[in-house]
Amino acid sequence: APDQPCPPPAVASQSGGCSVAGGRMTDTRRRVKVYTLNEDRQWDDRGTGHVSSCYVERLKGMSLLVRAESDGSLLLESKINPNTAYQKQQDTLIVWSEAENYDLALSFQEKAGCDEIWEKICQVQGKDPSVDITQDLVDESEEERFDDMSSPGLELPSCELSRLEEIAELVASSLPSPLRREKLALALENEGYIKKLLEIFHVCEDLENIEGLHHLYEIIKGIFLLNRTALFEVMFSEECIMDVIGCLEYDPSLSQSRKHREFLTKTAKFKEVIPISDPELKQKIHQTYRVQYIQDMVLPTPSVFEENMLSTLHSFIFFNKVEIVGMLQEDEKFLTDLFAQLTDEATDEEKRQELVNFLKEFCAFSQTLQPQNRDAFFKTLSNMGILPALEVILGMDDAQVRSAATDIFSYLVEYNPSMVREFVMQEAQQNDDDILLINLIIEHMICDTDPELGGAVLLMGLLRTLVDPENMLATANKTEKTEFLGFFYKHCMHVLTAPLLANTTEDKPSKDDFQTAQLLALILELLTFCVEHHTYHIKNYIINKDILRRVLVLMASKHAFLALCALRFKRKIIGLKDEFYNRYIMKSFLFEPVVKAFLNNGSRYNLMNSAIIEMFEFIRVEDIKSLTAHVIENYWKALEDVDYVQTFKGLKLRFEQQRERQDNPKLDSMRSILRNHRYRRDARTLEDEEEMWFNTDEDDMEDGEAVVPPSDKPKNDEDIMDPISKFMERKKLKESEEKEVLLKTNLSGRQSPSFKLSFSSGTKSNLTSQSSASNLPGSPGSPGSPGSPGSPGSVSKSTSQMAAITTKGGLVGLVDYPDDDEEDDEDEDKEETLPLSKKAKLESS
């Protein structure tokens, strides 16, 4: 279609062949995407399949068929019409119009497949496959006007002032047709027509012929849309470019002409920060600046259709930049002088700012280079000493210079973080911490004056890249991670955490304005990343410097996002399930700020509420014993009334089970006796009955319950129940002694009065010796019985502190036997990884 927008994207390349059901194409040669053009002139993807050409009886002719690779359905069935204009674009694209407003495109994965189908189309239409369009799209009425369009060229009107309107109409009418654009472009090239038009431009300006100037605007704009490099080379030559810009000042849609030439000659000044001796390089820089100005400021914003036709203009600028970078890179004297002046203390501030801005633009140009050329570019800059130069610049007072230096640093980090790491480790051997490059970057981040901290966010991202072990080189000795992280924690971490430590000396943040909160949130984000990726380095730092306690001070911030950052930091630490961290948390009572924040949040159902509950739920689900005991012993009084979730009651149940095991060491020997009747350790296999308990979905059981469904009597019932009866008698005799132990245990340690946890003697009695008669099947007090009080998943007051007792085959027995703490690690792990309900079932069998 003559008025199509940008062509659709090509099919993504895939390794290996594609197979389609029913014996269709099994290779990728004819793999295509089918596109249709919608009402908004955008291409819609209709699916991926394989194309073939064959005779279709229903359509009475050779047709293109595309079957979907997913299910073999027909995506496209289109007869190859002898009069339809098919266009081949970019070697892998065939585009045509089925009807007036229905455009189609096939985007091939491989050029070879596109060529095959193109040959079939050309064969049906009797055309040479070397053409890129099979039909001329000119209407008959227009053919008469152009006389013989099949002639080798197009005859242009003579270039005269009186014929400007005719020339403008010819250019405008040629743009819709690729064939006519081609002939018009050849005619303009061969006859030197552009220079003649620019001579008329001078005449029109001298005569103040506004109508003629408006025609010239339309003509020159049309020539841009011809998208021909040969024409651009004439228009952008030193001799012609300012006149071309002059023509584009007279836009007919504007009431007054623009002053582009005045801006380029008087306002925009070319500064040679270092004198450029090569005249060709200097001319190329001037040309690129002016063409970029034409693209960005002079030409009107192109439509979707015109955007595609200006692709050659983009390419012209692109290749000019590549050429400039290459020529500057090869000029060793130029770069040597540049870096010498950058680091010279005698260089004045204005000059230094110009040098840094040039270097920044130079690095930005490099982003247009191909990977191998970019490698050479940065290697050259590294050899010239760009990193030491940046270190000098970042230590200066000028904020604009430092900002430009930061942008340059970001190019280097994104390109090769290992190069930056190697440099900073080497310089640490000679320089103090205060002037190290990374520390200067951190200080620059901390001192960002932008209210939104835009620069600080960028710098934090760069620091994260530098400390990320994922992009550290895995060499033969694998030393980069160890060496760099050792360096970072020794020389740089104290600079990063300084604002955090300075702001958390009291029970609440000393400064709590928005900008400070944003900065601390950024620092916490990086520290959280370190907890996840740096293992022992960050662990030593947090514990030795008491970092977590200081971070949790921020839970009292009025800014919810900062309090959540602090909570996220602690959650990441707890998520590691590391006992070193856990002991540190318990020793310093670091749940206290979290519980206070939870209580202060009240009944509001918000992110803070959910995040805190999730943290405690993680401790319960993962059965982190030390933290469970610590939370219940110190904070149960504050949390016991929270009943809209079962998390805290579940934690209490976990705690009671643990405490019973600790307070009744004789249960351990009982448990080992019973365990021998349940399964054989050495065989590593389970009996059928035990296998059934494992396969039962724990979600079917109420949380906190240990109810065993009726089943066959276990083998050797009498052998099992005899020691249980004896144990129950001994347990009653020791009741008073155990009460005393429990009370002593619960009242030990540093406790906040508001969070102190204690048991009454009645509670202890319930915990250790409930009457078995009250727990017969169907009794109101038995856990899980229909008449038991409490909502599903909860534990009622009468039974919440009672060891689970159940019946099996009409006999009464303890379900939740204590863990055998003296057993080998493997067996302990096996026990602890079972969900609570499943463990109970195992131990009751």
Side-chain angles (χ1 to χ4, degrees), residues 55 70 75 123 130 140 154 252 258 318 376 386 391 398 450 481 590 666 761 763 785 805:
Y55 185 85
S70 56
L75 294 179
Q123 185 180 343
S130 63
E140 288 184 9
L154 180 68
R258 303 287 188 179
F318 170 83
I386 189 169
E391 195 169 60
D398 192 321
D450 178 8
K481 177 179 176 180
L590 296 181
K666 292 177 182 177
S761 59
T763 303
S785 66
I805 300 176

Side-chain angles (χ1 to χ4, degrees), residues 196-206 213 216 242-250 261:
K196 295 176 185 176
L197 287 170
L198 296 178
E199 288 174 7
I200 295 178
F201 167 71
H202 286 292
V203 173
C204 287
E205 274 209 316
D206 291 341
L213 292 169
L216 281 166
M242 294 306 288
D243 290 338
V244 168
I245 293 170
C247 291
L248 294 172
E249 289 180 354
Y250 295 94
R261 285 172 294 174

Side-chain angles (χ1 to χ4, degrees), residues 661 665-666 668-669 671-672 675 681 818-828 832:
R661 294 163 194 163
K666 292 177 182 177
D668 293 345
S669 58
R671 187 164 173 270
S672 63
R675 188 182 294 166
R681 287 179 184 279
D819 283 336
D820 186 354
D821 294 334
E822 296 177 2
E823 290 293 331
D824 59 274
D825 291 342
E826 180 184 345
D827 292 331
E828 183 175 331
E832 290 174 4

Side-chain angles (χ1 to χ4, degrees), residues 102-375:
Y102 187 62
D103 293 357
L104 286 161
L106 293 180
S107 179
F108 288 75
Q109 180 166 325
E110 296 184 12
K111 179 180 183 297
C114 183
D115 291 342
E116 284 182 20
I117 296 299
W118 184 250
E119 285 180 15
K120 292 285 187 184
I121 293 170
C122 291
Q123 185 180 343
V124 171
Q125 294 198 341
K127 302 292 181 181
D128 185 344
S130 63
V131 301
D132 287 338
I133 182 167
T134 61
Q135 299 290 330
D136 190 351
L137 298 177
V138 182
D139 295 334
E140 288 184 9
S141 58
E142 291 179 338
E143 280 182 1
E144 294 172 4
R145 177 178 176 184
F146 287 108
D147 297 327
D148 186 11
M149 284 300 294
S150 61
S151 62
L154 180 68
E155 187 177 343
L156 293 169
S158 58
C159 195
E160 299 173 2
L161 179 58
S162 59
R163 305 193 69 176
L164 283 178
E165 184 176 359
E166 184 182 349
I167 298 167
E169 288 178 3
L170 173 61
V171 171
S173 62
S174 299
L175 291 175
S177 164
L179 183 61
R180 277 183 281 160
R181 284 206 307 270
E182 182 77 16
K183 291 182 177 181
L184 176 60
L186 288 172
L188 291 169
E189 287 174 38
N190 296 336
E191 299 180 23
Y193 210 77
I194 292 174
K195 290 186 178 179
K196 295 176 185 176
L197 287 170
L198 296 178
E199 288 174 7
I200 295 178
F201 167 71
H202 286 292
V203 173
C204 287
E205 274 209 316
D206 291 341
L207 297 174
E208 297 184 359
N209 184 340
I210 300 300
E211 185 181 356
L213 292 169
H214 285 170
H215 289 318
L216 281 166
Y217 171 89
E218 297 292 354
I219 293 167
I220 295 298
K221 180 190 170 189
I223 293 174
F224 268 96
L225 296 177
L226 292 176
N227 215 17
R228 294 281 290 207
T229 305
L231 295 177
F232 288 156
E233 286 174 353
V234 175
M235 296 166 74
F236 300 152
S237 64
E238 189 76 20
E239 177 185 357
C240 297
I241 189 166
M242 294 306 288
D243 290 338
V244 168
I245 293 170
C247 291
L248 294 172
E249 289 180 354
Y250 295 94
D251 185 346
S253 63
L254 301 175
S255 57
Q256 196 169 0
S257 64
R258 303 287 188 179
K259 304 293 182 185
H260 297 303
R261 285 172 294 174
E262 183 178 327
F263 173 83
L264 289 171
T265 54
K266 296 179 181 178
T267 308
K269 299 294 183 183
F270 176 63
K271 293 183 179 179
E272 291 183 78
V273 291
I274 303 291
I276 296 173
S277 54
D278 186 346
E280 185 183 351
L281 172 59
K282 193 180 295 188
Q283 190 275 329
K284 187 73 68 178
I285 292 171
H286 280 296
Q287 183 189 59
T288 305
Y289 175 77
R290 289 165 180 168
V291 176
Q292 185 91 54
Y293 182 83
I294 290 172
Q295 178 184 261
D296 296 340
M297 303 300 297
V298 181
L299 287 175
T301 304
S303 64
V304 174
F305 167 54
E306 292 173 339
E307 180 71 37
N308 188 37
M309 297 174 73
L310 288 172
S311 60
T312 306
L313 180 63
H314 303 323
S315 299
F316 188 93
I317 295 168
F318 170 83
F319 287 114
N320 261 21
K321 289 181 176 180
V322 170
E323 208 171 331
I324 290 168
V325 171
M327 294 168 79
L328 285 172
Q329 190 178 326
E330 291 167 8
D331 192 338
E332 287 191 15
K333 182 180 184 306
F334 177 87
L335 290 178
T336 304
D337 291 348
L338 173 67
F339 284 108
Q341 290 191 36
L342 264 176
T343 54
D344 188 352
E345 292 182 4
T347 305
D348 65 72
E349 290 302 317
E350 186 179 350
K351 177 71 171 177
R352 197 186 314 276
Q353 188 173 333
E354 291 173 358
L355 291 165
V356 173
N357 286 335
F358 170 81
L359 187 56
K360 173 185 168 182
E361 193 171 356
F362 192 33
C363 290
F365 269 29
S366 74
Q367 302 305 295
T368 62
L369 298 174
Q370 294 298 315
Q372 64 271 22
N373 296 336
R374 197 180 308 139
D375 287 347

Side-chain angles (χ1 to χ4, degrees), residues 515-533:
Q515 192 163 357
T516 302
Q518 274 192 308
L519 176 62
L520 294 179
L522 279 176
I523 294 171
L524 279 178
E525 187 179 332
L526 186 60
L527 290 176
T528 305
F529 176 83
C530 293
V531 167
E532 187 175 4
H533 293 89

